[in-house]
Amino acid sequence: MSSAVMIVAAAVSVPFIAILLHKARKHRKPYRKKVISIFTRFPSPGVTKTRLIPCLGEEGASYAQRRMTEHILERMKKYCRHHDDTDIAVWYNGSTEDNMRYWLIPKSGGDNFMYFFQQPSGGLGEKLREAALSGFRGNREYVVIIGSDIPGLEPGVMEEAFDALGGGTEMVLGQAEDGGYFLVGFSKAAVHKIGAVFDGIDWGTEKVFQQQCAKAKELDINLKILNTKLSDVDTEEDLSVLEGALQIHRQSLTDRKWSVIVPTMNEEENIIRTLQTVCQNCSSEARIQEIIVCDGGSKDNTVQKVKDFSQRVSVPVKVTHSQPGRGFQLKHGVEGATGDFLLFLHSDTHLPSNFDVAAESCLKRPGNVGGSFAWSVDTDRSDGWFFNLEMRILKYFTNRRIQNHELPFGDNAMFTTRHVYDQIGGFQEVYLLEDVLLVEGLWKVGHIGIAEGEPVITSARRWRKWGLFRITGLNRLILFAHYLGVSTETLALWYYGDKLRVVMAANKKNA
């Protein structure tokens, strides 16, 4: 090879290698000298928080455990995002790592500082010992262990604990109100004493904190007691701590009801049948807190028909008004909702039997922050064999999208909890893709499940009028453009055309 060729090759390869090295450094995991180990249990009814079962029931106690774990983990994540030298180790019991990951790592991807470990067999002392020693095996300098049932624990407490350990303290303890402790931490200087520090403790008694302090003194460990004193949640007397920290009422743990929100615009032909399916197909009308019909300015008899219907049923039916556009209408409708569960129903979609039971069961799976139903469409023989074939194909691929990609659309009757809805900011005030934007918000905090059982049934009127290829093709184009970053306002103008320009102008005039 000639010298000229070698020089050219070097000139080309050196910048290329430099770019690769830069990218490797950029994506290289930073050295983390601290770890927060969180002890928790998979929230299975009947085996989780058993001392709360007498007052909350098995499902309520399990839900309390789920909410407390999610609450404390989010606070510790907040700490780690401001301290890139800290990992989180989740020490779990009662399930598999796959289930734990589904529960605590959202679909859109989790943080790269979280790890999962099965709690070892044995008593609490053995578990704490293994968690502490395991942290130092990763060449870390400080390990802090906490429980998941301390809803009052703030990131500032972790600051205090790690500052103490970094300042020369070998061990820190956070005293609990019941005589135990909610936090224990060590510096690497104490690693050779951890093997004996948990011996001889009467776990589960009021003596735990004093015995642990005495043990540290016996082993000549430099101990600091944190200034903060907190309560864990184990019994009915502790529920006020949970209610205050999580802003949740006890009734929301045991008797949660549904608000069904239906946006309408000139739907006099469909709305009554849709509302009837809500009332007739729920397991009990007592489970429905309310039906909220949010109208976007119908010019037909939609609103009056809804008002007349409300006089004939025992379920509360409310009519609200907002500017047109499903995003605007749904957001406005939710603002007046009081249920713990929220179900968003299109006015031409009918719910299946016992929809409330199926939807709640879907949301009970740890990790599911939202859900939808399987989907079908109301065709019959009069539509012709080719149209029926098209609809069967559409149904197949729609349900595959929901099942495999966690991507339901509005006509799949999406649902979530009020807690999660508020957490992600709810619906955006847009004219199009309000359902996709909500899904993307849900992906950031968890997963979207699919309710078992019968599907919802949506009117085939759009496909009868415009055809499968035009409707489905336009939907795919809109979705693709959204992922490329085209604004929802531009996409809405593509979809609705000039009639939307008139609506938008009127909305701006009335604003």
Side-chain angles (χ1 to χ4, degrees):
M1 182 182 294
S2 68
S3 298
V5 173
M6 293 179 65
I7 292 172
V8 171
V12 173
S13 61
V14 168
F16 180 70
I17 293 171
I19 291 172
L20 291 178
L21 290 173
H22 173 73
K23 287 186 176 181
R25 285 194 298 269
K26 183 178 179 180
H27 294 286
R28 184 173 58 196
K29 185 177 177 180
Y31 167 65
R32 294 191 170 112
K33 62 182 180 180
K34 301 183 293 189
V35 61
I36 301 171
S37 293
I38 304 175
F39 273 48
T40 189
R41 186 178 185 89
F42 190 78
S44 300
V47 297
T48 302
K49 283 295 171 188
T50 54
R51 286 193 282 173
L52 289 176
I53 291 177
C55 60
L56 297 180
E58 292 184 355
E59 294 286 354
S62 173
Y63 184 58
Q65 166 70 9
R66 175 178 173 177
R67 286 291 304 274
M68 285 192 290
T69 298
E70 292 168 354
H71 174 78
I72 201 72
L73 184 60
E74 191 55 42
R75 288 192 167 184
M76 295 305 104
K77 284 181 178 180
K78 182 178 179 181
Y79 175 88
C80 291
R81 288 168 188 147
H82 288 86
H83 300 79
D84 61 5
D85 61 349
T86 308
D87 281 328
I88 292 176
V90 178
W91 289 82
Y92 64 90
N93 211 345
S95 193
T96 64
E97 183 173 339
D98 285 344
N99 284 338
M100 293 297 298
R101 287 183 172 277
Y102 185 88
W103 173 23
L104 299 176
I105 296 181
K107 175 178 168 56
S108 62
D111 299 288
N112 67 349
F113 49 68
M114 275 185 62
Y115 302 89
F116 293 84
F117 300 95
Q118 178 83 46
Q119 292 180 22
S121 58
L124 181 56
E126 286 79 9
K127 296 175 188 291
L128 290 170
R129 182 182 297 114
E130 176 59 24
L133 293 174
S134 175
F136 290 119
R137 290 188 195 113
N139 200 33
R140 297 184 182 89
E141 297 177 30
Y142 312 108
V143 176
V144 169
I145 306 170
I146 59 175
S148 60
D149 58 354
I150 315 289
L153 184 58
E154 298 278 358
V157 177
M158 308 309 295
E159 296 270 10
E160 183 185 359
F162 281 119
D163 284 349
L165 294 172
T169 297
E170 294 179 314
M171 179 178 178
V172 293
L173 278 179
Q175 186 176 5
E177 297 283 358
D178 62 359
Y181 55 84
F182 66 86
L183 177 151
V184 59
F186 301 94
S187 70
K188 200 167 188 177
V191 68
H192 62 289
K193 302 175 183 178
I194 292 175
V197 75
F198 298 114
D199 292 342
I201 307 297
D202 296 321
W203 303 107
T205 71
E206 297 178 353
K207 305 175 183 178
V208 170
F209 178 77
Q210 294 301 330
Q211 289 179 338
Q212 191 66 84
C213 292
K215 193 68 178 180
K217 183 176 182 180
E218 175 188 326
L219 295 173
D220 195 27
I221 297 176
N222 180 10
L223 172 67
K224 175 179 173 58
I225 310 302
L226 301 182
N227 295 322
T228 305
K229 193 174 182 180
L230 296 174
S231 295
D232 55 5
V233 177
D234 286 320
T235 65
E236 183 174 7
E237 290 72 26
D238 305 323
L239 284 179
S240 60
V241 176
L242 183 151
E243 291 175 311
L246 273 63
Q247 295 296 297
I248 185 173
H249 192 271
R250 185 179 310 192
Q251 184 177 352
S252 296
L253 297 171
T254 58
D255 184 25
R256 294 182 286 170
K257 296 184 179 181
W258 287 89
S259 291
V260 180
I261 296 93
V262 187
T264 56
M265 172 65 88
N266 299 324
E267 290 288 356
E268 64 178 359
E269 294 183 3
N270 297 294
I271 187 59
I272 299 306
R273 181 66 189 127
T274 296
L275 297 181
Q276 285 174 340
T277 63
V278 176
C279 297
Q280 295 170 0
N281 291 349
C282 60
S283 62
S284 168
E285 289 187 351
R287 299 276 292 129
I288 308 300
Q289 181 80 4
E290 69 226 338
I291 302 172
I292 299 177
V293 176
C294 189
D295 191 71
S298 294
K299 303 301 183 183
D300 63 4
N301 206 30
T302 297
V303 171
Q304 188 57 51
K305 283 197 169 188
V306 173
K307 290 180 178 178
D308 293 342
F309 177 80
S310 69
Q311 302 300 312
R312 305 193 299 268
V313 294
S314 59
V315 174
V317 180
K318 308 173 184 177
V319 178
T320 64
H321 301 272
S322 80
Q323 68 182 72
R326 281 205 184 107
F328 297 92
Q329 292 170 241
L330 286 165
K331 187 176 185 66
H332 183 75
V334 174
E335 287 174 357
T338 58
D340 299 293
F341 297 117
L342 303 174
L343 190 151
F344 312 111
L345 181 64
H346 284 189
S347 55
D348 62 350
T349 298
H350 298 163
L351 293 168
S353 299
N354 294 322
F355 68 86
D356 55 312
V357 176
E360 184 173 359
S361 178
C362 174
L363 291 175
K364 282 179 179 177
R365 180 184 179 185
N368 282 351
V369 295
S372 75
F373 295 88
W375 185 82
S376 190
V377 66
D378 66 342
T379 57
D380 55 46
R381 291 183 179 180
S382 65
D383 287 315
W385 70 269
F386 186 71
F387 182 79
N388 276 281
L389 176 62
E390 287 182 319
M391 293 300 99
R392 283 198 294 271
I393 294 172
L394 178 62
K395 183 173 85 169
Y396 172 77
F397 283 104
T398 296
N399 287 319
R400 281 197 61 180
R401 165 173 50 80
I402 300 169
Q403 184 74 52
N404 297 340
H405 302 290
E406 299 184 28
L407 181 55
F409 293 157
D411 55 6
N412 303 129
M414 296 162 56
F415 49 83
T416 186
T417 65
R418 183 59 188 251
H419 162 67
V420 170
Y421 179 88
D422 291 339
Q423 181 183 359
I424 65 174
F427 281 106
Q428 297 185 35
E429 293 181 323
V430 294
Y431 295 98
L432 190 69
L433 295 184
E434 77 290 333
D435 48 359
V436 173
L437 295 175
L438 185 74
V439 164
E440 291 174 350
L442 293 171
W443 284 348
K444 293 177 182 178
V445 296
H447 296 268
I448 301 175
I450 183 168
E452 295 185 1
E454 302 172 19
V456 295
I457 299 177
T458 294
S459 170
R461 58 183 177 171
R462 284 179 294 161
W463 294 278
R464 289 190 182 105
K465 182 176 181 179
W466 300 108
L468 173 66
F469 293 105
R470 179 170 178 176
I471 292 295
T472 304
L474 180 58
N475 288 343
R476 294 295 175 268
L477 174 63
I478 293 292
L479 197 60
F480 180 68
H482 166 66
Y483 290 141
L484 290 179
V486 180
S487 72
T488 55
E489 185 170 309
T490 298
L491 295 175
L493 288 170
W494 290 1
Y495 193 86
Y496 294 112
D498 289 338
K499 66 178 182 180
L500 180 60
R501 297 182 193 276
V502 175
V503 170
M504 293 170 67
N507 288 341
K508 289 179 181 179
K509 183 177 179 181
N510 296 329

